[in-house]
Amino acid sequence: TEFRLENGLSSFIKRGEEEFKKYNVHHLESGPWVKDKVTIVGWDGWYFDPNPPTNDEYHLPGGWHSHAILSRRAHIKFEQVLQQLEEVPKDHKKIVVTHMAPFVDEGVDNHFNANPLYMTFLENKCDVLCFGHTHRALDTVIKGIHVLNSGSDYNRPKHVIFEV
């Protein structure tokens, strides 16, 4: 299906959901994924910077302030993730997945990450945080959370296998 800019955000999101179904992908914003006492929750995330120096605007629906809207949407979805984490059974390992790094460190430019306050809210609520966007491999512990990013190898699959 062709996406038309005049259809707006809901059409843009619906198109994504159709692609997830087509390829049998579980979009974590539709709810947690649970298996063998492991619960994975997540949200798409968005930039904390209200005016990030990116080319994203060229790839997003026009006619609305996409960065402001997607930033607000990310905050709402993050609140849903926090609620989902509260509902996870105590004996489950909790993994949180998002696109943008919700913290700042020497390798993560603060213009390209999500709200750094998210890490404070995740503290003591999850075991692992997986994220992307930075194109930089990371395997560390922040605020007691095992933080992972596989990094990026263009034109070759890149992944990290970790034990929960």
Side-chain angles (χ1 to χ4, degrees):
T1 53
E2 182 179 317
F3 176 71
R4 295 174 181 244
L5 295 178
E6 65 270 12
N7 292 337
L9 180 60
S10 60
S11 176
F12 185 68
I13 291 169
K14 183 179 179 193
R15 178 176 173 220
E17 294 296 337
E18 290 168 358
E19 292 295 310
F20 295 140
K21 284 181 187 173
K22 179 178 172 182
Y23 294 103
N24 194 28
V25 171
H26 180 85
H27 186 205
L28 291 171
E29 282 197 1
S30 67
W33 186 86
V34 181
K35 184 172 177 146
D36 300 332
K37 295 191 177 189
V38 174
T39 299
I40 303 175
V41 300
W43 82 110
D44 292 339
W46 198 249
Y47 300 101
F48 178 59
D49 189 321
N51 218 355
T54 72
N55 294 323
D56 290 342
E57 290 285 345
Y58 300 117
H59 304 286
L60 296 170
W64 41 275
H65 302 287
S66 55
H67 284 297
I69 290 170
L70 289 169
S71 225
R72 174 76 176 129
R73 183 178 184 279
H75 183 69
I76 291 166
K77 294 297 183 177
F78 178 69
E79 288 177 6
Q80 291 173 0
V81 162
L82 292 177
Q83 181 60 44
Q84 290 167 355
L85 286 170
E86 292 294 324
E87 297 167 3
V88 174
K90 299 283 186 222
D91 63 337
H92 281 220
K93 291 291 185 177
K94 300 173 188 177
I95 300 172
V96 173
V97 178
T98 189
H99 181 70
M100 313 291 226
F103 56 86
V104 177
D105 76 3
E106 61 195 40
V108 180
D109 186 323
N110 65 344
H111 294 292
F112 296 106
N113 58 321
N115 190 332
L117 288 175
Y118 292 162
M119 282 304 286
T120 302
F121 289 105
L122 287 173
E123 191 173 5
N124 300 317
K125 291 189 173 72
C126 68
D127 302 293
V128 180
L129 169 68
C130 299
F131 72 97
H133 193 72
T134 66
H135 299 221
R136 178 173 136 323
L138 185 67
D139 184 348
T140 191
V141 175
I142 299 173
K143 295 190 178 278
I145 301 167
H146 188 181
V147 177
L148 294 168
N149 183 343
S150 66
S152 177
D153 282 342
Y154 292 103
N155 301 319
R156 293 183 293 170
K158 180 77 177 198
H159 62 276
V160 170
I161 297 174
F162 63 98
E163 189 172 329
V164 184

